[in-house]
Amino acid sequence: MRNIYIILIVLLFFSCQDFVNETPKGNLIPKTVDDMGMILDAFDIFEPNAIAFGHGNQTLMTDDCKLPEDVASSANPAVVKSYTWADHLFDVSKNDGNWEGFYHVIYLCNYILEKIDDAPEGSGEYSRDFVKGSALLNRAHSFFILVNLYAEHYDENTASAALGVPLPLESDINIRYGRATVADVYAQVLTDLKEASKLLSNKSEYTFQAAKPAAFGLLSRFYLYQGEYKKSWQYADSVLQIVPELKDYNTIEQYEPGQPDFGLDNWAPYSGWEKPDVVFYKENSDLSSKYYVSDELMTLMDPTSDLRYQNFVTNYKYYSFVEDPNGYRYSDEADVNRGISLGEVYLTEAEAKLRDNDIDGALKALNALRTKRYVTGTTDITETNPDALLQIILDERRRETIFKGLRWFDLKRLNKDSKTAKTITHTLFGQTYTLEPGSKRYVLPIPRKVIELNSLIEQNPR
């Protein structure tokens, strides 16, 4: 796959550095629709134009993860700072990968959206609608993740005043932006997603490419976070009308029983975008497979019936049958897509229908997923008490989305309700750290490097 490199490789908001004034040898200035389509196919996060960038480090901050001391001792300082909810995650001289990565994607999308309507066709490999819809979807996804990392969770009573993130909608790197409100960022995300869903087709060749189900899936999550539950389950249902049914985990077998690292039969190869049930692929930008499943989460998994446990969880060291004293890992073979996955969509539908007073619909969506995730013959859930059923759905969501980057956002939104709020503790090097519901630490600090170079951006209180 040929890659197109934009000559203005952006360090958005970071500095007024001089940028390259001529095309580097072997690279092209994207001019045609096809050139811009190739930018949107750069899915590897190690490529300069990594459109499939997915967020990292937030797994460490949740109650799903355990960081052993020997791993912490040799880890990047940001790993320990994330696990202990430090005031700042990065030194003043260091870049924050989430901020830099997503704003780079936004820059690329803005560049494309400015040029696409007047660009010549090229050879016709990519359609104009696909390129424009893809740019809108990827920009929406980036803004949505950013605002949920660096701002308070959406609250209709405060969103119009709460500080969100900068909202650049053009590719001019000389413009400096302050922080838009949470309401403004959400409004732009919604606008982009609605327009993208009209332009995109029902299916793309690869899961890192945009398609209608990806837009619908993100809209379903968007409305879940906003508390618009009817719209949330309606968009979830729109995904399920298009995408094939869930992979049945009963059909998977480990090549070496008890050690999934050696591979799985009837499962996709290592590449994350090829895994079953991926609707919209975003690459895992941290090393979450090097971390360990928390003791609490392990107690929520039934080793006798849960096929996610049986197929992907191991207490052996990497590629060996030596027991790991640190506990249990979630294997690299598992799906840790940071974008939209089909299991999330089913459970969003279940939760949203329950919150919309449709208990039967919630049970149907929940059991449809469980049929594919538990040993054949496992009893369906029949609970009809709304509070009890909600907890069952949330626990299932937690099991289904292990290390997919959603738990941090779920904790933020669930902490808005005293029934589902919880306190988290992490212990490291003999010290216990506590994160209370509603803590300011749920809003990540703006990178200090960014604030030093742009006085318009206000820091989050610590």
Side-chain angles (χ1 to χ4, degrees):
M1 190 179 301
R2 185 162 61 94
N3 294 315
I4 297 293
Y5 296 90
I6 292 181
I7 61 172
L8 299 181
I9 300 299
V10 71
L11 296 176
L12 199 57
F13 311 131
F14 291 151
S15 70
C16 297
Q17 293 182 18
D18 292 330
F19 289 87
V20 180
N21 292 317
E22 57 183 323
T23 308
K25 184 178 180 181
N27 293 339
L28 299 173
I29 300 174
K31 296 178 180 178
T32 69
V33 171
D34 283 350
D35 291 342
M36 296 174 197
M38 289 178 203
I39 292 173
L40 296 163
D41 272 355
F43 69 92
D44 190 329
I45 62 170
F46 297 108
E47 295 182 8
N49 296 332
I51 206 75
F53 179 82
H55 58 291
N57 279 0
Q58 281 58 61
T59 297
L60 282 163
M61 299 179 178
T62 73
D63 50 354
D64 284 351
C65 188
K66 177 173 67 175
L67 182 64
E69 292 186 355
D70 61 333
V71 176
S73 296
S74 59
N76 184 300
V79 168
V80 174
K81 291 178 179 179
S82 297
Y83 190 69
T84 58
W85 310 296
D87 281 348
H88 296 281
L89 306 185
F90 301 93
D91 294 338
V92 175
S93 62
K94 300 294 185 181
N95 293 332
D96 178 334
N98 286 323
W99 186 279
E100 184 178 24
F102 284 118
Y103 275 115
H104 183 64
V105 171
I106 290 165
Y107 170 82
L108 296 173
C109 293
N110 286 343
Y111 180 93
I112 291 169
L113 291 168
E114 288 173 353
K115 308 291 184 183
I116 187 63
D117 287 342
D118 298 321
E121 293 289 346
S123 64
E125 183 177 354
Y126 298 89
S127 76
R128 196 178 303 271
D129 281 354
F130 167 78
V131 172
K132 187 172 185 178
S134 298
L136 288 164
L137 175 58
N138 281 287
R139 183 170 75 176
H141 175 266
S142 296
F143 278 136
F144 190 59
I145 299 298
L146 283 166
V147 76
N148 279 287
L149 289 174
Y150 298 99
E152 300 172 3
H153 182 71
Y154 183 90
D155 184 327
E156 64 179 351
N157 297 314
T158 61
S160 61
L163 288 177
V165 292
L167 194 62
L169 300 177
E170 51 190 308
S171 63
D172 186 343
I173 59 174
N174 295 307
I175 300 175
R176 295 199 305 169
Y177 296 85
R179 297 173 66 178
T181 67
V182 170
D184 287 342
V185 178
Y186 264 70
Q188 186 61 50
V189 169
L190 183 59
T191 297
D192 284 356
L193 288 176
K194 289 287 188 71
E195 187 174 356
S197 68
K198 296 174 184 176
L199 294 169
L200 295 168
S201 62
N202 282 0
K203 186 174 176 57
S204 58
E205 185 174 0
Y206 305 106
T207 61
F208 54 79
Q209 295 175 325
K212 262 186 173 52
F216 292 156
L218 193 52
L219 279 163
S220 179
R221 189 193 296 176
F222 175 96
Y223 282 120
L224 181 71
Y225 288 11
Q226 274 200 328
E228 295 271 2
Y229 299 120
K230 183 176 292 293
K231 291 179 181 179
S232 177
W233 68 253
Q234 286 174 338
Y235 274 109
D237 188 62
S238 294
V239 176
L240 302 180
Q241 295 298 316
I242 300 172
V243 178
E245 66 177 25
L246 285 158
K247 172 74 173 180
D248 187 348
Y249 283 10
N250 284 282
T251 65
I252 302 170
E253 292 185 8
Q254 295 177 347
Y255 291 138
E256 298 289 345
Q259 177 46 296
D261 292 347
F262 290 113
L264 301 166
D265 189 30
N266 198 25
W267 187 250
Y270 185 79
S271 298
W273 57 269
E274 297 179 274
K275 303 291 186 189
D277 302 331
V278 174
V279 176
F280 188 43
Y281 179 70
K282 292 296 178 183
E283 192 149 338
N284 172 11
S285 63
D286 60 23
L287 298 175
S288 58
S289 61
K290 300 294 189 294
Y291 312 140
Y292 290 76
V293 181
S294 70
D295 296 341
E296 178 190 327
L297 181 52
M298 287 300 301
T299 65
L300 291 178
M301 303 185 77
D302 184 349
T304 66
S305 64
D306 192 328
L307 294 163
R308 290 158 299 201
Y309 180 102
Q310 294 183 11
N311 288 317
F312 305 118
V313 175
T314 180
N315 66 337
Y316 291 129
K317 292 184 177 181
Y318 270 86
Y319 294 96
S320 79
F321 286 97
V322 177
E323 189 169 326
D324 193 331
N326 287 324
Y328 290 84
R329 293 184 295 106
Y330 207 52
S331 172
D332 280 338
E333 290 293 321
D335 170 22
V336 290
N337 171 36
R338 295 294 166 92
I340 303 293
S341 294
L342 199 55
E344 176 202 350
V345 175
Y346 271 90
L347 290 166
T348 295
E349 180 175 35
E351 181 183 343
K353 282 190 170 180
L354 176 61
R355 293 184 185 276
D356 195 35
N357 300 313
D358 180 2
I359 291 176
D360 289 343
L363 285 169
K364 181 179 179 181
L366 173 62
N367 285 317
L369 176 120
R370 286 174 55 87
T371 298
K372 308 295 186 179
R373 296 297 187 259
Y374 288 84
V375 172
T376 300
T378 301
T379 305
D380 279 352
I381 300 297
T382 58
E383 179 64 64
T384 57
N385 176 276
D387 288 343
L389 180 55
L390 176 61
Q391 191 58 57
I392 291 170
I393 291 170
L394 294 177
D395 287 346
E396 197 66 65
R397 183 179 178 91
R398 201 170 162 190
R399 289 186 287 264
E400 178 66 17
T401 61
I402 295 178
F403 293 1
K404 291 183 179 179
L406 289 181
R407 182 59 179 167
W408 184 249
F409 303 141
D410 283 343
L411 285 165
K412 285 179 72 171
R413 67 184 180 88
L414 294 172
N415 280 339
K416 304 287 286 185
D417 183 346
S418 61
K419 292 181 180 179
T420 52
K422 68 177 297 186
T423 298
I424 301 174
T425 60
H426 285 169
T427 300
L428 189 64
F429 301 128
Q431 185 171 347
T432 298
Y433 301 85
T434 302
L435 186 67
E436 300 283 352
S439 169
K440 291 182 173 60
R441 305 303 170 90
Y442 272 108
V443 180
L444 300 192
I446 305 295
R448 287 178 288 178
K449 182 175 180 180
V450 171
I451 290 176
E452 278 201 348
L453 295 167
N454 185 354
S455 60
L456 297 178
I457 296 179
E458 184 178 335
Q459 182 60 277
N460 288 318
R462 309 314 298 148

